[in-house]
Amino acid sequence: MSKAITPADFDVSPPLTVESLVNGGNGLIRYNGQVVFIPKVAVGDVVRFRITHSKKNYAEAQLVEIVLPSCDRREPLCPVADECGGCQWQHLPYHIQAQWKNSLFRDSLIRKCRVSENTILPIIVAPKEFGYRSRVQIKCYNTRDGFITGFYRPKSRYVVSVETCPLISSEMNHTLKALRQLISGSKHADHIPQIDLATDSDGKIAITVHYLGNDKSGLADRIKVLSNHSDVILQMGNKKQRDIIAGDGNLHIAIDNPELRLAYQAGSFAQINLDQNRRMVSIVKTLIPLTGNESVVDLYCGMGNFSLPLARKVKSVIGVEESSSSIKMACSNAKRLGVHNASFICDNAETAIDTIRQTSAVDILVLDPPRNGAYAIAKKIANSDINHIVYVSCDTQTLARDLECLVNNGYELVSSQPLDMFPQTYHCESINYLKKRETFGLSKK
């Protein structure tokens, strides 16, 4: 009989083979009758590991040695990929990453929601596996040897120094290098915990320097030298204390056909993969055969990423977003583009959906929630009179939880389209279309 793992067993394991990958990106090995999860491994790797945490049903381990590498492994492009928490799968060739995302996504929905495997479409891979990120949060730390920029080590606040990140563009990397040189050795370096970089469809770059010190004198002049190429923003303490030092602080994304250019404020939410976002908008627009008479509600609408393209094809759109800056940009975008059938509400999604349904018909509901999903919304609209739901998700586990609520309460999953928005990580975007089981047309009328 195999024994349970105890702290006394927290020594290096014998060589064992990684059996599979799991949600969250770790590899799975069975050891002494228990499942063990290990990061940064490939299926087929023969490894030795040390258990760091032992739970009731599983254990977590640290990779100690790759005794024999798998044929599914490659050398990461980034020299600190094994330390940095930004990427989990850079050691896997991209086609292997896509295969596992596709498989894990399908398995999660089939197992948890009991949907037909025929409803889940093959994953749409990204056109670029590197240099795709349009925005990034750089963590900073000042040392005796200079100003460090990088990303947190997994499950810690230790900043791993990253000279250049392969997930962002060469222009953003050049900007980051210039910022390090400008800030290093200054009196402000101890008080800058984070720098945000963002770029848009035009290649414009926005820099946001977070400053927590009491004396900002000279800092604006120091970083303003980058204003020839970038918008520069100084953020003190919180988002309400923003000084735009150079430029207007606005970026633009290009979507739809004919093209729409949507403005958003640097620091506000926008999808990080602009190429895949354009694909996603196109898919959402064509999921449902529209007549032009539909009323759409777009929850978590941001600057109008789905609302404004959909407004071209339906009677009316109401967008809901809790961020006042995003709603301001959505209204501005609609006015500038001459879209008169879209209105926007700054409110919590849970509150707004109740208010809207009391006064307006909702034919189609679009959801694009953050990673924690929209379970409260799913419960509210279960068995409702909303005929069509388009749920855009960036987290497979919260999606499966929310879809389970809907498919058990009056809705059928028509199609689920996984899409790789985040190469080199385990994260998977998806577009999911549900309709009421008794609904065959766009309206009950």
Side-chain angles (χ1 to χ4, degrees):
M1 179 181 294
S2 60
K3 67 183 183 68
I5 299 171
T6 69
D9 296 306
F10 287 13
D11 295 324
V12 177
S13 73
L16 294 168
T17 302
V18 178
E19 299 177 25
S20 68
L21 299 181
V22 298
N23 287 302
N26 292 333
L28 181 150
I29 284 178
R30 300 177 197 277
Y31 178 52
N32 280 351
Q34 193 169 26
V35 169
V36 181
F37 298 124
I38 311 169
K40 308 286 187 177
V41 294
V43 174
D45 277 345
V46 179
V47 302
R48 300 172 76 226
F49 56 87
R50 178 180 291 108
I51 290 174
T52 55
H53 297 91
S54 184
K55 312 287 186 178
K56 182 178 179 180
N57 298 319
Y58 67 93
E60 297 174 351
Q62 176 185 30
L63 178 63
V64 173
E65 178 189 7
I66 300 174
V67 179
L68 183 65
S70 166
C71 59
D72 284 351
R73 173 178 283 277
R74 70 175 176 185
E75 188 66 26
L77 186 61
C78 177
V80 296
D82 289 342
E83 297 180 64
C84 177
C87 297
Q88 301 85 38
W89 281 358
Q90 211 179 117
H91 61 285
L92 301 177
Y94 185 52
H95 73 281
I96 299 293
Q97 296 180 33
Q99 287 173 12
W100 276 104
K101 289 189 187 192
N102 193 67
S103 175
L104 291 170
F105 181 83
R106 292 177 65 85
D107 289 349
S108 292
L109 262 59
I110 292 169
R111 185 178 69 254
K112 294 187 178 181
C113 305
R114 298 180 296 281
V115 298
S116 168
E117 61 180 27
N118 296 328
T119 64
I120 306 173
L121 304 173
I123 192 168
I124 299 175
V125 298
K128 296 188 295 186
E129 63 164 310
F130 293 107
Y132 66 85
R133 287 195 70 112
S134 66
R135 57 186 176 86
V136 65
Q137 294 181 343
I138 307 291
K139 304 303 179 182
C140 308
Y141 183 68
N142 197 36
T143 72
R144 294 179 182 177
D145 298 322
F147 187 64
I148 301 297
T149 60
F151 302 98
Y152 287 142
R153 182 178 288 168
K155 298 182 180 180
S156 84
R157 293 284 177 171
Y158 178 84
V159 179
V160 177
S161 177
V162 176
E163 294 291 317
T164 60
C165 174
L167 300 195
I168 63 176
S169 67
S170 58
E171 292 78 13
M172 292 172 78
N173 275 309
H174 291 323
T175 301
L176 180 59
K177 180 180 179 180
L179 282 165
R180 274 198 307 270
Q181 294 172 343
L182 288 168
I183 295 169
S184 188
S186 73
K187 67 179 181 180
H188 307 105
D190 281 332
H191 308 291
I192 298 175
Q194 181 171 306
I195 295 170
D196 299 341
L197 298 178
T199 189
D200 66 6
S201 295
D202 302 321
K204 176 183 177 182
I205 293 176
I207 303 164
T208 303
V209 176
H210 296 248
Y211 185 67
L212 301 181
N214 296 319
D215 180 11
K216 65 175 183 177
S217 61
L219 179 57
D221 290 337
R222 180 177 290 272
I223 59 178
K224 194 175 182 179
V225 300
L226 296 173
S227 62
N228 288 338
H229 309 288
S230 310
D231 286 7
V232 183
I233 301 154
L234 188 59
Q235 185 166 304
M236 287 77 65
N238 60 60
K239 289 185 178 181
K240 294 182 179 179
Q241 295 180 287
R242 300 172 82 245
D243 285 349
I244 299 177
I245 297 168
D248 59 8
N250 292 335
L251 299 167
H252 294 81
I253 62 171
I255 56 172
D256 209 11
N257 186 23
E259 186 175 275
L260 292 175
R261 287 173 50 79
L262 304 185
Y264 72 99
Q265 189 180 81
S268 296
F269 177 79
Q271 294 288 356
I272 66 165
N273 192 321
L274 300 183
D275 292 331
Q276 291 292 71
N277 183 56
R278 291 192 74 148
R279 286 188 177 186
M280 192 161 61
V281 170
S282 176
I283 292 169
V284 168
K285 273 188 65 178
T286 56
L287 269 178
I288 306 168
L290 300 169
T291 67
N293 295 317
E294 295 79 33
S295 298
V296 178
V297 173
D298 179 13
L299 299 182
Y300 313 96
C301 69
M303 86 295 263
N305 190 51
F306 296 119
S307 303
L308 295 175
L310 283 168
R312 289 172 151 180
K313 300 187 69 175
V314 300
K315 181 176 70 176
S316 66
V317 176
I318 300 174
V320 178
E321 172 61 55
E322 203 163 9
S323 165
S324 58
S325 60
S326 292
I327 283 294
K328 181 179 177 181
M329 297 308 288
C331 293
S332 175
N333 287 327
K335 182 177 180 181
R336 174 172 49 81
L337 296 168
V339 179
H340 304 296
N341 61 336
S343 59
F344 296 93
I345 301 169
C346 185
D347 200 355
N348 174 275
E350 295 177 42
T351 304
I353 190 61
D354 287 338
T355 304
I356 293 169
R357 290 179 63 207
Q358 288 172 6
T359 58
S360 307
V362 181
D363 299 312
I364 302 168
L365 179 66
V366 178
L367 299 162
D368 185 12
R371 290 200 186 282
N372 59 2
Y375 186 60
I377 303 293
K379 289 195 295 183
K380 282 178 180 288
I381 61 177
N383 291 313
S384 73
D385 59 355
I386 299 172
N387 289 336
H388 303 269
I389 300 170
V390 178
Y391 190 137
V392 180
S393 167
C394 60
D395 186 278
T396 305
Q397 300 311 300
T398 56
L399 168 70
R401 176 200 65 197
D402 299 349
L403 290 187
E404 182 181 21
C405 175
L406 293 171
V407 299
N408 288 336
N409 291 280
Y411 286 91
E412 170 193 356
L413 181 65
V414 178
S415 68
S416 183
Q417 175 65 76
L419 180 142
D420 190 9
M421 191 80 77
F422 320 99
Q424 316 310 322
T425 79
Y426 65 85
H427 298 292
C428 185
E429 194 89 3
S430 65
I431 305 158
N432 305 273
Y433 168 40
L434 303 99
K435 69 177 181 181
K436 280 189 71 67
R437 287 200 180 93
E438 69 271 28
T439 303
F440 298 98
L442 277 175
S443 173
K444 289 181 177 180
K445 297 177 183 178

